[in-house]
Amino acid sequence: MYKIIGLGEATKEVIAAFDKYPEYKTYHLDESDLGKYSSMQEYEENFPVSRIRKILKTVTKNCEALFVVQGGDPIVGASLRVLEILKRASVSILYLSPDVTILNQEEKERAGFSSSAFQDIVRSGELEKIYMVDLEIMESIVGEVSLRDYDRITAENIVGTFAMLNYFDHTDPIKTTKSKLPEAVRIGTFGILSEAGEEILFYDLQQIKDREYCYGIPEDEVSGGTFLKTAKRRIKESLAKSRCCFSIYAIRSEKSQGYVKAYTDICQSAF
């Protein structure tokens, strides 16, 4: 079972969205577990190791785990201590980049520091990958929704897309040209393909080196060749920008679905 560990109040809706999927086991660490402090340094220095080890005791060596964190809040200072406990598992990070227009200067500095630190750790090979999501970009994707529902709907969009791509990663494709990424290519994002084939990434990833296009097609359309032609056309269009591959999967759905993952080996600027 895939383990999802969220840190801080800002990840609560994301963890709640993952809870709707039976294949995920979730954990949410907040002030009730870590204490309430005003700085990242205090969260690191006062980290309750024994308590958090007990909470995360089922995240074992053979687990796949996703650590979810949003930049800007002081509680992010506990991240490295949490990751130290999780290191026995195969861990990736889902980093939620906050909307900088609503951050004060101190929050911007914390977000910039944490974003750089997480990317450096991943590039060193200590963790598997980091998937970056820009919450300002998500606002334009979600569109006009009520303020009361905004955080929930944003989280459901992020988690629904991640969950589908993760499902594909653990399912045999009908057809694929996928190969192993270069060792250093560990910084990424993901997104969707519109009905017109437009690539909509959840983060403005710079200097993309690799793209993977994932197509889910209804089981009754598997025998047709339309999607193979579509995938090949997409690859040809994108080869000038980066290395590309595609995978096609059968899904239980009335409509076809398109997704994309993008990767680079270049650290991204926080702002």
Side-chain angles (χ1 to χ4, degrees), residues 5-16 28-29 68-70 96:
I5 303 93
L7 179 65
E9 180 69 17
T11 68
K12 184 172 68 173
E13 290 290 355
V14 172
I15 297 304
H28 186 234
L29 306 176
V68 186
V69 61
Q70 180 173 319
L96 307 176

Side-chain angles (χ1 to χ4, degrees), residues 164 167-168 215-222 227 249-259:
M164 198 68 199
Y167 169 76
F168 289 156
Y215 299 94
I217 62 174
E219 292 178 340
D220 59 1
E221 295 182 17
V222 167
F227 263 86
Y249 302 85
I251 59 173
R252 295 179 179 177
S253 174
E254 295 181 358
K255 289 183 62 178
S256 59
Q257 301 171 20
Y259 301 88

